[in-house]
Amino acid sequence: MIISKINKIVRLIEIFDKMSDDLKFGRLSNIDKDVILNLHKYKNKENFIVNIKDIKFVQIDGKLIKKSTLYKSLRNLCDKKIITHHGS
């Protein structure tokens, strides 16, 4: 039973890694994934614009993401061209 679960998790990781490779942005850190999930949750449905000042960024376990960590992740996601930054 546990081996079956491990096999499924490994397969999901392989699929995600392959998709990340196909999209040419490589592996994402757990914080990067959490930031993307937060951005997606609060995006404007019409134009996908998000004002980060309106969001309380939380990790998957509910802990707040520190501002320094958030800005580092946002910069990393911009560098990988997953998101773009508009305005100041």
Side-chain angles (χ1 to χ4, degrees):
M1 175 78 147
I2 195 147
I3 291 176
S4 174
K5 287 182 181 181
I6 291 171
N7 288 338
K8 288 178 183 179
I9 290 170
V10 167
R11 184 67 188 130
L12 285 172
I13 292 169
E14 289 172 342
I15 291 168
F16 187 78
D17 282 347
K18 178 67 175 141
M19 290 173 65
S20 297
D21 190 48
D22 289 346
L23 294 170
K24 309 262 189 271
F25 58 78
R27 273 197 155 177
L28 297 174
S29 70
N30 287 338
I31 292 293
D32 289 344
K33 293 175 203 172
D34 291 338
V35 169
I36 289 173
L37 290 171
N38 281 270
L39 290 170
H40 189 265
K41 182 178 179 181
Y42 292 101
K43 74 181 182 327
N44 180 303
K45 306 292 189 244
E46 296 171 10
N47 57 19
F48 288 85
I49 292 176
V50 176
N51 185 345
I52 63 168
K53 293 177 183 175
D54 297 337
I55 301 174
K56 236 183 207 181
F57 285 87
V58 294
Q59 298 178 45
I60 196 84
D61 61 4
K63 295 179 185 173
L64 285 177
I65 298 173
K66 295 178 186 176
K67 283 194 179 200
S68 60
T69 304
L70 169 64
Y71 291 131
K72 181 179 177 184
S73 176
L74 290 170
R75 189 172 38 253
N76 184 44
L77 294 171
C78 282
D79 290 347
K80 291 181 181 239
K81 300 193 181 352
I82 296 172
I83 63 172
T84 56
H85 175 259
H86 296 280
S88 58

